Amino acid sequence: MLNFPNILTLSRIFAVPILVFLLWPNFDLLASQPLPIDYLLAFGLYCLMAITDYFDGYLARSQGTVSKLGIFLDPIADKIMVAAVVLMLIYTRDINGWHVIA
């Protein structure tokens, strides 16, 4: 059942490839890191995704539209979102892989 909170959750999942693209290094510019504007856009997108994470749960509970699909998708969307950022930061060597273990 697709309701507005579930659409917000799905939007987070569909925004992950855009987030990865923004964090991907620009090798054609001979830079091993993404450009600063890419980091800024990725940060803005990540904040927007975090806000939709808050509002999808809030709206589902307040409107009484909690669904099994939403209960299933919400934690998956959270994990995909965080894992994509952590993996890209390790790939671009912005953080060392050993820091993730902690």
Side-chain angles (χ1 to χ4, degrees):
M1 175 178 176
L2 277 182
N3 51 30
F4 188 63
N6 289 346
I7 292 172
L8 288 176
T9 301
L10 287 172
S11 72
R12 282 202 326 269
I13 294 172
F14 291 130
V16 168
I18 299 168
L19 190 64
V20 169
F21 175 76
L22 290 171
L23 293 173
W24 198 267
N26 299 318
F27 289 114
D28 58 334
L29 299 175
L30 300 175
S32 62
Q33 301 289 340
L35 299 174
I37 188 70
D38 293 336
Y39 278 126
L40 185 63
L41 291 172
F43 175 73
L45 179 61
Y46 194 82
C47 289
L48 182 65
M49 292 167 74
I51 291 169
T52 61
D53 183 29
Y54 169 76
F55 279 113
D56 68 355
Y58 175 77
L59 290 173
R61 286 187 297 276
S62 67
Q63 295 175 352
T65 57
V66 176
S67 66
K68 290 183 181 182
L69 179 64
I71 292 170
F72 176 74
L73 281 181
D74 188 58
I76 291 174
D78 296 341
K79 287 169 182 60
I80 291 171
M81 185 173 76
V82 172
V85 171
V86 169
L87 289 174
M88 286 308 301
L89 291 175
I90 291 172
Y91 177 73
T92 59
R93 298 187 180 173
D94 286 324
I95 59 174
N96 191 351
W98 292 106
H99 293 128
V100 177
I101 294 173

